[in-house]
Amino acid sequence: TLEFQNLRKDVFDGGSDPFDVVVRIQNNGEALVKKEDVRIKLSGVNPTEFAQTDAQLSKTAPDDIIEIRKDAQGTVLQSPPTFVEFIGFNHKEKLQGATAQFTIRAEECYVYKTRAVSKLCVREDLLKPSPNGICELNEDKTLFNSGAPVQFTNFKESTRAKDKVGFTVDVTNAGSGLIFDKVSWCDRIERKNQDKVYVTITTGLSGLQCTGLDSIASGAQGYVTLYGGSKTISCTQSISTKSDFEQLINMEAVYDYEQTIQDTIAVKNSGQ
């Protein structure tokens, strides 16, 4: 989450009333964010009008943003907040009128990671599996995600040949923010950076092929673009064994995520 910490609503003009803008960051997910991988940028005001420079309006976090954790008893431990401070704002000039309203916007960009796990069903006979087997081939599968704004959803398995099973899974922006290519600092100038997620899928079995991804040992990886906030990945897994079992499948998504908040302040004529 991102919010202003005790932002002053009213300040005075003429360089007589300095104030600070403090942004509170808290990690509600299950992936650590290193301090060098998060940036807070302020906008909405002319920096020189408030005794600032462009460089002073962009900062990385002072500490790592700790993820939510569980102790040995299963108790959820909330992450401690981190505060990014922008010091010494001061409206230097005198106002012509009594009051002027200004918008302060804070944009947070950070590198984040989603992990998910499910199971593939493998049967000795894929086309005509015996009844009452250990698992079902053609069905929706249970999927577990780590807490994160991007989620893997709708995992479905089906038989595709006598020696192949297939599955589809959706990669979805489940949050309210914007997605960008990993380590791009949420760069809007290059359109190729927008809505990009780097996905890795590993099954522990050889012969995995996924549309749009490159094959690697026991898996596939590559970029997907979330059109309209979602993308369906379709994969085919070759099966060379003749036995019944469930195979863990691991999925990971890495991306830059941007969240934005804004508020207003009123600069008042000090009358001096």
Side-chain angles (χ1 to χ4, degrees):
T1 56
L2 184 69
E3 60 183 35
F4 291 113
Q5 184 74 14
N6 300 323
L7 180 67
R8 287 180 58 185
K9 292 294 187 178
D10 303 296
V11 298
F12 290 101
D13 67 354
S16 61
D17 190 15
F19 64 98
D20 302 330
V21 176
V22 180
V23 179
R24 183 182 187 271
I25 308 171
Q26 190 161 17
N27 190 343
N28 292 329
E30 297 177 64
L32 173 74
V33 181
K34 295 181 180 180
K35 60 184 180 181
E36 61 267 23
D37 288 339
V38 59
R39 183 188 68 183
I40 303 295
K41 182 179 180 181
L42 298 186
S43 62
V45 298
N46 182 348
T48 58
E49 192 174 356
F50 282 84
Q52 299 286 308
T53 65
D54 287 332
Q56 288 175 304
L57 297 190
S58 181
K59 291 188 176 184
T60 56
D63 303 295
D64 292 343
I65 317 300
I66 305 298
E67 72 275 25
I68 291 176
R69 296 176 177 176
K70 290 184 180 180
D71 62 18
Q73 288 72 43
T75 303
V76 175
L77 305 176
Q78 297 297 326
S79 64
T82 297
F83 299 91
V84 181
E85 300 178 338
F86 298 85
I87 306 299
F89 279 75
N90 202 346
H91 193 275
K92 298 187 298 182
E93 303 298 326
K94 293 291 295 180
L95 293 179
Q96 296 301 313
T99 304
Q101 292 280 348
F102 293 89
T103 297
I104 297 285
R105 172 178 290 185
E107 297 174 349
E108 177 192 27
C109 179
Y110 57 96
V111 183
Y112 214 63
K113 181 182 296 184
T114 305
R115 292 188 177 95
V117 64
S118 189
K119 291 180 180 179
L120 281 178
C121 178
V122 178
R123 300 296 299 274
E124 181 178 357
D125 188 335
L126 297 178
L127 296 179
K128 295 180 180 180
S130 60
N132 304 317
I134 192 172
C135 56
E136 293 294 330
L137 286 164
N138 300 294
E139 65 176 7
D140 295 354
K141 301 295 183 180
T142 302
L143 183 61
F144 298 97
N145 279 271
S146 62
V150 171
Q151 296 280 284
F152 292 92
T153 60
N154 300 322
F155 188 89
K156 300 178 181 181
E157 183 183 6
S158 61
T159 303
R160 295 196 176 170
K162 65 178 182 179
D163 59 351
K164 290 182 174 65
V165 296
F167 62 87
T168 58
V169 64
D170 295 342
V171 184
T172 303
N173 183 2
S176 59
L178 301 176
I179 295 171
F180 297 85
D181 187 5
K182 60 187 176 98
V183 201
S184 70
W185 286 121
C186 304
D187 180 13
R188 287 186 174 84
I189 297 176
E190 293 289 340
R191 183 160 181 80
K192 65 181 182 180
N193 291 326
Q194 299 182 29
D195 301 314
K196 287 290 180 64
V197 177
Y198 195 81
V199 173
T200 302
I201 300 174
T202 55
T203 62
L205 304 173
S206 61
L208 180 66
Q209 294 183 327
C210 297
T211 303
L213 304 184
D214 297 324
S215 294
I216 58 174
S218 302
Q221 63 184 16
Y223 283 101
V224 298
T225 302
L226 307 190
Y227 295 106
S230 185
K231 174 68 175 181
T232 299
I233 299 174
S234 179
C235 300
T236 300
Q237 175 66 63
S238 297
I239 303 298
S240 59
T241 61
K242 292 296 181 181
S243 58
D244 288 8
F245 60 90
E246 291 183 294
Q247 180 69 33
L248 282 176
I249 176 170
N250 294 288
M251 290 158 276
E252 181 181 274
V254 184
Y255 45 90
D256 276 9
Y257 206 74
E258 182 183 85
Q259 294 178 296
T260 302
I261 56 170
Q262 67 181 46
D263 206 339
T264 58
I265 60 170
V267 178
K268 297 184 176 181
N269 192 315
S270 63
Q272 299 178 359

